[in-house]
Amino acid sequence: TWKMGSISSSGIKGKKMKIIYHCYGGTHSSVIAAALHLGLLKRNRLPSAGELLACPNFDQRTNRDYGKIFYMGNDKLGYEVYVMGCKNSGTVVETALREFCKIMDVNDRRVTLACTVSSLNILLKFGGFLSRRLNLVTIGRLFLFPGSRLAFYKIRKIVEAVEDKVRVSCKP
């Protein structure tokens, strides 16, 4: 098990690596990270509003979904990529998942958790609050789209760090 900054890795049974991006609601920055990881968004330019909305789970999760893990797809190496909303409990959730893996005696280096909260800005926070919490979706998205674009390169750095760590931790 390793932890570096906002990225940690632990074990899970099975042969495929599981990568879980998590943030407050599991519907904005973590979804953008997963979409970048899976190649659903281009890395070399800012996404349009339409491209963001085309990402599975973008601006879709509700309060009932906190703590649930949602499958986003398999990356080019066959690793499974997921997103999750943890509210303000990302560290606690990471610790609980690592401890669960320990008591289940699972294979090391099979789950990577990456927190994307560090990429959040005031526009993303406010837009997410309006859209998801107050159900003012149209108004919220007026803040979400520019906020997502503002956070894009920070999110891309998190994804690149995850990919680097996965490459290192999965070497035979």
Side-chain angles (χ1 to χ4, degrees):
T1 302
W2 54 264
K3 182 171 177 76
M4 180 176 242
S6 63
I7 305 166
S8 64
S9 181
S10 190
I12 194 168
K13 286 186 178 176
K15 297 185 189 244
K16 288 189 178 181
M17 168 70 77
K18 317 295 191 232
I19 300 166
I20 304 170
Y21 290 99
H22 65 89
C23 62
Y24 186 88
T27 194
H28 299 118
S29 62
S30 60
V31 169
I32 293 169
L36 282 166
H37 189 110
L38 294 169
L40 302 175
L41 291 174
K42 295 188 185 301
R43 294 181 184 214
N44 61 346
R45 64 173 177 78
L46 296 173
S48 68
E51 289 170 323
L52 290 170
L53 288 174
C55 294
N57 297 305
F58 185 83
D59 202 34
Q60 298 297 313
R61 305 279 56 100
T62 67
N63 288 341
R64 295 183 313 266
D65 296 325
Y66 290 124
K68 294 180 183 174
I69 301 172
F70 294 92
Y71 175 74
M72 291 284 292
N74 284 47
D75 71 8
K76 62 187 173 199
L77 297 174
Y79 300 154
E80 297 170 2
V81 178
Y82 299 85
V83 295
M84 175 175 53
C86 300
K87 293 186 96 171
N88 289 321
S89 302
T91 303
V92 172
V93 169
E94 284 190 14
T95 301
L97 287 173
R98 281 194 309 275
E99 292 300 313
F100 180 76
C101 287
K102 280 183 193 174
I103 65 171
M104 296 303 293
D105 193 30
V106 296
N107 187 4
D108 199 22
R109 300 182 312 200
R110 293 293 179 202
V111 173
T112 297
L113 301 162
C115 180
T116 60
V117 169
S118 64
S119 69
L120 298 180
N121 55 57
I122 192 68
L123 294 173
L124 264 174
K125 291 176 184 179
F126 188 60
F129 175 76
L130 290 172
S131 179
R132 305 306 347 134
R133 185 76 180 259
L134 300 181
N135 202 29
L136 299 171
V137 177
T138 302
I139 296 169
R141 287 181 179 174
L142 293 175
F143 295 92
L144 281 172
F145 296 139
S148 296
R149 292 168 58 89
L150 202 62
F152 185 79
Y153 293 110
K154 285 184 180 180
I155 297 169
R156 185 179 74 182
K157 280 186 179 182
I158 293 168
V159 172
E160 290 168 349
V162 166
E163 291 170 334
D164 288 346
K165 293 297 177 193
V166 168
R167 245 188 315 276
V168 169
S169 70
C170 290
K171 284 185 179 177

